[in-house]
Amino acid sequence: MDIEIWFDFASNYSYLSVMRIEELARARGVPVAWRPFLLGPVFKSIGMDNSPFVTQKLKGAYVWTDMERQCRKYALGWTRPASFPRRSILPARIATLADGQPWQAEFIRRVMRLNFVDDHDIEDSAALSQILDSLGQDGQAILAAAESDDVKQALRARTAQAQQRGVFGAPTFFVGDEMFWGNDRLDDALDLAAGQR
Amino acid sequence: MDIEIWFDFASNYSYLSVMRIEELARARGVPVAWRPFLLGPVFKSIGMDNSPFVTQKLKGAYVWTDMERQCRKYALGWTRPASFPRRSILPARIATLADGQPWQAEFIRRVMRLNFVDDHDIEDSAALSQILDSLGQDGQAILAAAESDDVKQALRARTAQAQQRGVFGAPTFFVGDEMFWGNDRLDDALDLAAGQR
């Protein structure tokens, strides 16, 4: 069975899973289905105005220490973003448009690195276009297509689907109907998916 | 270096760590220091009226699924408590009084099982007395001592210390000044403690 990874480009714990999932999934023969969505509307629908890492001071302070340690453990680059959470609508639209394309996964990882390694605005068209070009795509054309009504609607529908399935944070993994929340559950979710092949 | 485990008997994720820590710590030669405290005053001081598993419906629903899966993974008994979070002041006082006693760790585990396996009131004097008696102690005498001003004050001081150190949930581990939050960080905390022997 495949594993769905529901993520937001603004989410730091999503960064950890996005960077790790393909290698771990490949080792178990599990296909990965990418599910970009927007955490903002999900948070709002459950009465939260912002990330808990912003609204809860002690937890917020802890999270950046935790991220440093986790990135060291997983040998991932890490820079605490000067702006958090960053607006992530444009790259989420591009990742939605890229569904089923062979460059989707690498695009997603590059945008995550733009946010959490380069500490750069992830709605910067020039930076996104450059990433797309470097993946052999037509950056300008894809940026234009990402602003089409179809793509906007597809991302809205994806986000609504997250709410319907009980998603309340990111990353969230689904293996069939079994939901797993957080980077710390990636291995458990993969084990379940591998056992159900 | 030793590992401090800060926990509340009402906390379900504390249950997972309390049951697992001694064996994992022994394998690494790391001494365990038990730090019972009360999560209620800590939550209140950061503007939370109750456990987030009660106030946040979606997260609350997820947590019980997660607990089932985690207990299966760790081969621990599990019954979803009919009452959550249970009042945990009396056993926290006894565990505080037991500091440095050879029966402290086993008392703590028995009370956790009373809550999360037997689904029983953990401020029930008869049940607590029975646990103490079965550990070769004088249950009635210890229950009386647990209500002394010294013990009450010691638990209040411990809880105040948790707040001063930035604790915002349980379980929380300290290795020196390094704080780790959550059962999912137990191994990382132990690895740090083992590396600093």
Side-chain angles (χ1 to χ4, degrees), chain A residues 13 46 48 56 58-59 62 65-66 69-70 73 163 166-168 178-182 184-185 188, chain B residues 13 46 48 56 58-59 62 65-66 69-70 73 163 166-168 178-182 184-185 188:
Chain A
Y13 287 111
I46 53 179
M48 290 158 61
Q56 296 177 37
L58 289 175
K59 187 179 281 184
Y62 170 77
T65 303
D66 189 50
R69 289 192 300 226
Q70 293 283 297
K73 181 164 89 173
Q163 290 173 264
V167 169
F168 56 85
E178 290 271 323
M179 185 173 95
F180 296 81
W181 170 54
D184 294 320
R185 292 290 173 277
D188 289 351
Chain B
Y13 287 111
I46 53 179
M48 290 158 62
Q56 297 177 38
L58 289 174
K59 187 180 282 185
Y62 170 77
T65 302
D66 189 51
R69 288 193 299 225
Q70 293 282 297
K73 181 163 90 172
Q163 290 173 265
V167 169
F168 55 85
E178 291 271 321
M179 186 174 94
F180 296 82
W181 171 53
D184 294 320
R185 291 291 173 277
D188 288 351

Side-chain angles (χ1 to χ4, degrees), chain A residues 69-126:
Chain A
R69 289 192 300 226
Q70 293 283 297
C71 288
R72 205 180 312 136
K73 181 164 89 173
Y74 297 130
L76 295 172
W78 171 249
T79 307
R80 177 178 168 176
S83 169
F84 179 86
R86 286 204 155 95
R87 283 179 50 95
S88 55
I89 299 176
L90 182 54
R93 285 180 181 154
I94 298 172
T96 300
L97 168 157
D99 236 6
Q101 300 295 322
W103 50 272
Q104 185 188 31
E106 186 57 20
F107 172 77
I108 290 168
R109 285 189 289 266
R110 297 272 186 104
V111 175
M112 281 295 194
R113 278 201 288 264
L114 191 63
N115 194 358
F116 296 107
V117 180
D118 302 337
D119 187 20
H120 191 93
D121 174 10
I122 54 175
E123 291 204 325
D124 174 3
S125 310

Side-chain angles (χ1 to χ4, degrees), chain A residues 148-180:
Chain A
S148 72
D149 284 344
D150 279 2
V151 172
K152 288 179 180 176
Q153 181 46 36
L155 178 58
R156 271 196 294 266
R158 180 62 61 67
T159 299
Q161 202 191 349
Q163 290 173 264
Q164 284 153 16
R165 295 183 81 176
V167 169
F168 56 85
T172 292
F173 310 101
F174 279 98
V175 178
D177 286 333
E178 290 271 323
M179 185 173 95
F180 296 81

